[in-house]
Amino acid sequence: MLSFRQLEVFRAVMLTGSISAAAHQLGIAQPTVTNTVRRLEDVLGALLFDRSGARLRPTALARQVFKVVNPSLAGFDHLTDQIAQIVRGHLASFGMGVSPSVSQGLAPRALKHFAADRPDVRIRMDTLARLHYTEYLWLAEGDCTVTIIRPDDPAIISHEIAAYSLVVVLPADHRLARRDSVAIQDIAAERLIAFHPVAPLDPMLRAMFAAEGLVPNVSVETRFAMTGPHLMREGFGIAVIDELSALGIHDPALRVLPLEGAPSQPVLLNYLRDNSVEPDIALIRRHLIRAAEELGCAIAPPQAAGVIAQSDSFR
């Protein structure tokens, strides 16, 4: 029966080209390598090396076996290295799940700063649908999430790390494009690309229209704010989206203007209570706050509550 040790020794001989070099790499005696290889050949019922010359020469069978064995054992080597890093107090990888709007600017900027501090960590950013925010953490698919919805789970800790509001996206030649901001009354007659009723921002927008006794002239609804500008280019009207999604707009043919009276909403860093002492959680929290300040979506100070600084992207 094949054993892990036999395959490990076989791989070392194939990689180094000799019994002595394999023994040195594995830290064992040469006779042990020789005997292990012979036992493996006995198990397989075939020779793996031609021993007729001064140097071992792999047979065709050995090369075929190596193609199967090497990837698996290389993966095991990587696994042991990751475990060793964790034991030393470092996460071998860092996964962050984000809502679609957060993926447009805030999360990439924060991860850039995080990577500069933690070049040894493999980083993954996963864009998540709303239904997957909680299970992403419970199934250990990642270490934290950054969302615009607070998880309804007592085992999940949430911190407000940024703020956002609603903005209006319209063509640069639109009649309202020269303004510094627009009000609900200004867009009441416009064909509007709005949020789908299940989208978290839909109640906010509809409440703003209702407060003025108006009904939005919706031409099309979308679940994801980032699709608004694309629909606008196809003639569906103007789009109302969130500031975070607007960070991904770099088209000079479009203008992004603040929507007057739109309430400020928090962006949340979420993680399981058990992970609260992880140093990388504290680090990403710090860099998310830093990124929010750089991008103009920082949480307003108490003395200026309700006033969110606008970055150049919204002017």
Side-chain angles (χ1 to χ4, degrees):
M1 182 177 179
L2 288 175
S3 70
F4 179 85
R5 186 59 165 173
Q6 290 168 351
L7 296 177
E8 181 184 37
V9 170
F10 165 73
R11 175 172 177 258
V13 174
M14 291 291 291
L15 290 173
T16 61
S18 71
I19 295 292
S20 59
H24 179 74
Q25 176 179 299
L26 296 172
I28 59 179
Q30 291 187 37
T32 302
V33 174
T34 300
N35 293 333
T36 302
V37 170
R38 290 191 185 280
R39 284 196 295 271
L40 176 59
E41 289 176 325
D42 290 341
V43 171
L44 297 177
L47 292 176
L48 294 171
F49 298 96
D50 181 355
R51 298 172 175 82
S52 60
R55 184 180 177 85
L56 288 179
R57 292 193 300 273
T59 63
L61 175 64
R63 288 191 291 271
Q64 292 177 11
V65 172
F66 180 74
K67 287 181 181 179
V68 175
V69 169
N70 187 52
S72 297
L73 294 189
F76 183 79
D77 289 343
H78 179 64
L79 176 63
T80 57
D81 180 64
Q82 285 186 309
I83 293 173
Q85 290 188 52
I86 293 172
V87 171
R88 290 195 298 269
H90 299 292
L91 292 176
S93 63
F94 182 79
M96 186 167 77
V98 300
S99 61
S101 55
V102 174
S103 72
Q104 295 301 293
L106 181 61
R109 179 67 64 87
L111 288 174
K112 180 185 78 169
H113 297 320
F114 180 89
D117 283 342
R118 297 288 274 113
D120 55 318
V121 172
R122 185 178 70 255
I123 298 172
R124 189 183 73 254
M125 185 181 84
D126 300 309
T127 303
L128 306 176
R130 180 179 180 179
L131 294 176
H132 299 149
Y133 290 170
T134 299
E135 72 176 27
Y136 182 82
L137 297 176
W138 275 113
L139 296 179
E141 295 182 20
D143 301 281
C144 65
T145 61
V146 184
T147 65
I148 60 175
I149 300 174
R150 189 180 298 275
D152 184 17
D153 190 322
I156 295 177
I157 296 176
S158 297
H159 295 285
E160 296 185 7
I161 47 86
Y164 71 95
S165 191
L166 298 180
V167 295
V168 178
V169 185
L170 36 74
D173 59 357
H174 192 276
R175 64 180 181 86
L176 299 173
R178 293 183 178 275
R179 298 193 180 189
D180 293 328
S181 62
V182 294
I184 282 292
Q185 296 90 334
D186 299 323
I187 63 174
E190 299 283 340
R191 297 178 70 238
L192 190 65
I193 302 164
F195 300 109
H196 189 279
V198 302
L201 299 179
D202 177 70
M204 184 194 311
L205 180 61
R206 293 188 182 275
M208 292 183 68
F209 273 95
E212 300 298 328
L214 300 170
V215 177
N217 179 24
V218 177
S219 63
V220 63
E221 295 173 338
T222 178
R223 290 176 183 267
F224 300 108
M226 296 90 69
T227 60
H230 299 290
L231 290 166
M232 187 184 67
R233 294 187 187 96
E234 300 303 322
F236 283 94
I238 65 173
V240 177
I241 66 175
D242 61 276
E243 287 180 309
L244 300 173
S245 297
L247 292 172
I249 297 177
H250 305 287
D251 188 343
L254 301 179
R255 281 276 283 158
V256 181
L257 301 177
L259 180 59
E260 297 172 9
S264 175
Q265 299 293 316
V267 183
L268 303 155
L269 168 66
N270 316 292
Y271 52 88
L272 289 176
R273 193 173 299 276
D274 291 345
N275 288 346
S276 61
V277 296
E278 290 290 352
D280 284 344
I281 294 293
L283 183 62
I284 194 62
R285 180 184 179 187
R286 185 163 70 248
H287 286 315
L288 283 164
I289 293 172
R290 174 185 176 186
E293 292 171 347
E294 294 172 350
L295 296 172
C297 52
I299 298 174
Q303 63 271 25
V307 179
I308 302 300
Q310 298 293 333
S311 71
D312 290 340
S313 301
F314 308 129
R315 291 174 182 160

